[in-house]
Amino acid sequence: MTIDVLTLFPDMIEPVFKHSIIGRAQEKGSVTINVHDFREFSVDKHKSVDDTPYGGGAGMVLRVEPVVRALRALEGHEQALKILMTPQGIPYTQSRAQTLSKNDHLIILCGHYEGYDERIRDYFDVEISIGDYVLTGGEIAAMAVIDSLVRLIPGVLSNAQSHEDDSFSMSLLEYPQYTKPRIFEGKSVPEVLLSGHHENINIWRKEEALKRTQKRRPDLYEKYLKKSEN
Ligand code: ADE
C-alpha cells in the first residue's frame, strides 16, 4: 500500500512513523508513507495557502489551488482513494479501518486554519472525522487513521500481535489481561488464568469481555446482542 499525506507540517508526521510497528511495516515494504508539504505547490510569491473568507468572518480558509496542484502532482492520484480529514466527516470506526486497509493507494489531506474552501471537497472521495471534537489540524487525526489501518495490512502484525482479539473487531471490548507478578500490593491475578484450563480461561474471558462492554459501552453491547441474534 502507498499512503501520500498532504500537510503543511510534515515534521509532525514523519518522525512518528519511523518507530515501532509502522516503522517496521515500512522497512518490510508492506506500506510506503510519503509526506508532502503542499505549501510547495502555492504559486504566489509568499507561498500562501490560506486567505480570508469571502463574505467576511473570522479566521482563514485553506485555498483550493495549492491543494489541487499538490494532489495532481502525485503519481497515481486518479486511482487513489482521496480522503479529507475534517470534524465534519463520517465518524471513523474499526470497520472503516478494515475497509481502508484493503486499498492500494490512499491520499490524505490534513487541513489547518478555520476550514477548507468548499470547492476542495469536489476533489476528494471521502471525509473522515476521528471524533466529535476539533483538533488544531488534521495531522493527529490522519496519524490515528494511518496507524489503525496499517496494522491491519496482512503481515504487518506477527501472529503474536494478531488483531483477531482487538476490541471492536468482535464489537466487544477486550477482556482484562495480567502478567507477572502474580500478586502486586495485595492484588492477585484471577485464579482461573493460572489454572492452565484453556476452556475455562476462554469462558472467563468471554464473560469478562461481555461484562466490561455492557458496563462501559452499552451501545456496543446492544449492537453485539443484535448481531448474535442473527
Ligand atoms: N481536523 C480537526 N479536527 C478533526 C477531527 N476531529 N477529525 C478529523 N480531522 C480533524
Side-chain angles (χ1 to χ4, degrees):
M1 175 191 281
T2 302
I3 304 177
D4 286 298
V5 188
L6 298 175
T7 171
L8 296 171
F9 301 96
D11 293 347
M12 274 180 78
I13 300 175
E14 272 166 347
V16 173
F17 291 136
K18 289 209 171 105
H19 305 280
S20 184
I21 292 169
I22 312 298
R24 282 197 296 278
Q26 290 183 88
E27 282 163 19
K28 275 200 279 186
S30 305
V31 64
T32 305
I33 303 173
N34 306 310
V35 185
H36 312 271
D37 183 351
F38 65 85
R39 187 179 295 282
E40 288 167 16
F41 292 86
S42 174
V43 283
D44 70 8
K45 66 173 188 282
H46 303 295
K47 294 257 172 223
S48 81
V49 288
D50 61 325
D51 212 330
T52 50
Y54 278 121
M60 300 292 269
V61 175
L62 205 54
R63 293 174 46 217
V64 62
E65 304 108 298
V67 169
V68 172
R69 284 168 48 84
L71 197 58
R72 289 189 175 146
L74 295 174
E75 207 183 306
H77 67 90
E78 293 99 338
Q79 292 80 32
L81 185 79
K82 295 171 270 296
I83 303 171
L84 189 92
M85 299 311 303
T86 164
Q88 298 180 22
I90 45 165
Y92 192 61
T93 58
Q94 185 69 17
S95 116
R96 192 154 297 273
Q98 259 144 9
T99 311
L100 290 181
S101 72
K102 297 185 176 93
N103 277 273
D104 288 335
H105 188 184
L106 301 176
I107 297 175
I108 305 181
L109 174 65
C110 308
H112 252 267
Y113 309 99
E114 294 301 305
Y116 297 103
D117 183 312
E118 191 64 18
R119 292 165 291 186
I120 289 176
R121 299 200 141 90
D122 296 343
Y123 298 85
F124 287 79
D125 303 304
V126 57
E127 301 185 20
I128 291 181
S129 162
I130 63 158
D132 288 340
Y133 40 80
V134 181
L135 301 164
T136 55
E139 285 74 15
I140 292 172
M143 286 191 275
V145 166
I146 293 168
D147 189 283
S148 61
L149 72 88
V150 169
R151 67 188 281 287
L152 298 176
I153 298 173
V156 167
L157 293 187
S158 65
N159 277 348
Q161 300 163 318
S162 163
H163 46 77
E164 297 288 305
D165 287 341
D166 282 354
S167 295
F168 303 113
S169 53
M170 285 283 302
S171 41
L172 285 180
L173 301 185
E174 245 178 274
Y175 50 77
Q177 298 266 41
Y178 296 85
T179 187
K180 296 181 190 69
R182 278 171 74 152
I183 302 175
F184 179 73
E185 296 189 344
K187 300 176 220 292
S188 1
V189 174
E191 258 333 292
V192 62
L193 298 179
L194 310 170
S195 66
H197 193 303
H198 292 297
E199 202 185 320
N200 286 352
I201 292 172
N202 285 340
I203 293 169
W204 180 85
R205 285 180 166 165
K206 183 70 186 281
E207 282 169 1
E208 290 300 312
L210 283 166
K211 270 197 259 173
R212 179 162 282 195
T213 310
Q214 187 176 24
K215 183 148 180 247
R216 296 185 184 192
R217 292 292 304 272
D219 57 322
L220 286 183
Y221 184 71
E222 285 305 316
K223 248 197 218 160
Y224 175 81
L225 289 186
K226 284 214 182 90
K227 225 161 78 183
S228 340
E229 277 166 20
N230 301 329

